[in-house]
Amino acid sequence: MPSDETPAPQAMELLRRVPYGRLATSMRALPFLAVARHVVCDGRILLRMHSGFGYHEACDGSVVAYGADNYNAASTDAEEDEGERLWSVQFTGPAEIVHPCPEQEELFGAAPVRANGEPFAPAYLRVDPHFVTEHSLGFGASPLVRHAA
């Protein structure tokens, strides 16, 4: 999707329904996934992540991928007329380190206290989605069966 167009409204609305997703890019030629808190703001995605790993620096100025889903939040009861629906949203786009204003920081809510045993130190990225995909699974009237160990 060209950067002068607004990302798919349905995908952005789905992202608003869950607080966390996964950021993917490479660091020193190796791929990595990192958990990040996201908020949708003016058609862009703001991410908050722990700065102690240096992932935000690897993302700055690079094209990244970000994805979120409702796989863990889905209930076994049908919530929609069509029944249970699982979805995922993924997008790619350039990222840059930003310093959000206090109002934007407030949108993220409380930050974690620790990340891998270290005090959580926030870093923020803004990602401009250029290519957005959305996938869903509908279960109709049949219940969603969970795998139990």
Side-chain angles (χ1 to χ4, degrees), residues 76-116:
T76 57
D77 297 326
E79 295 176 351
E80 301 178 21
D81 292 336
E82 65 191 58
E84 188 70 25
R85 182 169 168 250
L86 298 177
W87 56 263
S88 66
V89 171
Q90 307 82 38
F91 63 84
T92 58
E96 70 176 297
I97 293 173
V98 294
H99 302 285
C101 66
E103 295 81 16
Q104 290 171 323
E105 277 189 55
E106 207 172 285
L107 294 173
F108 285 99
V113 175
R114 306 189 83 61
N116 285 5

Side-chain angles (χ1 to χ4, degrees), residues 8-139:
Q10 171 73 14
M12 295 298 110
E13 185 54 40
L14 290 173
L15 278 179
R16 291 180 205 279
R17 296 180 186 182
V18 296
Y20 285 89
R22 292 164 227 55
L23 175 69
T25 194
S26 60
M27 186 167 149
R28 293 184 214 85
L30 297 173
F32 73 84
L33 283 174
V35 173
R37 171 76 168 95
H38 65 262
V39 296
V40 179
C41 190
D42 297 327
R44 295 178 173 160
I45 310 303
L46 295 178
L47 302 177
R48 179 181 68 194
M49 58 195 312
H50 178 53
S51 64
F53 305 134
Y55 295 156
H56 64 293
E57 293 168 344
C59 295
D60 191 31
S62 299
V63 172
V64 301
Y66 187 76
D69 58 59
N70 72 337
Y71 297 163
N72 289 333
S75 73
T76 57
D77 297 326
E79 295 176 351
E80 301 178 21
D81 292 336
E82 65 191 58
E84 188 70 25
R85 182 169 168 250
L86 298 177
W87 56 263
S88 66
V89 171
Q90 307 82 38
F91 63 84
T92 58
E96 70 176 297
I97 293 173
V98 294
H99 302 285
C101 66
E103 295 81 16
Q104 290 171 323
E105 277 189 55
E106 207 172 285
L107 294 173
F108 285 99
V113 175
R114 306 189 83 61
N116 285 5
E118 298 178 14
F120 183 82
Y124 297 91
L125 293 170
R126 182 180 65 222
V127 182
D128 295 318
H130 285 207
F131 181 74
V132 180
T133 58
E134 174 191 329
H135 301 288
S136 66
L137 297 172
F139 288 88

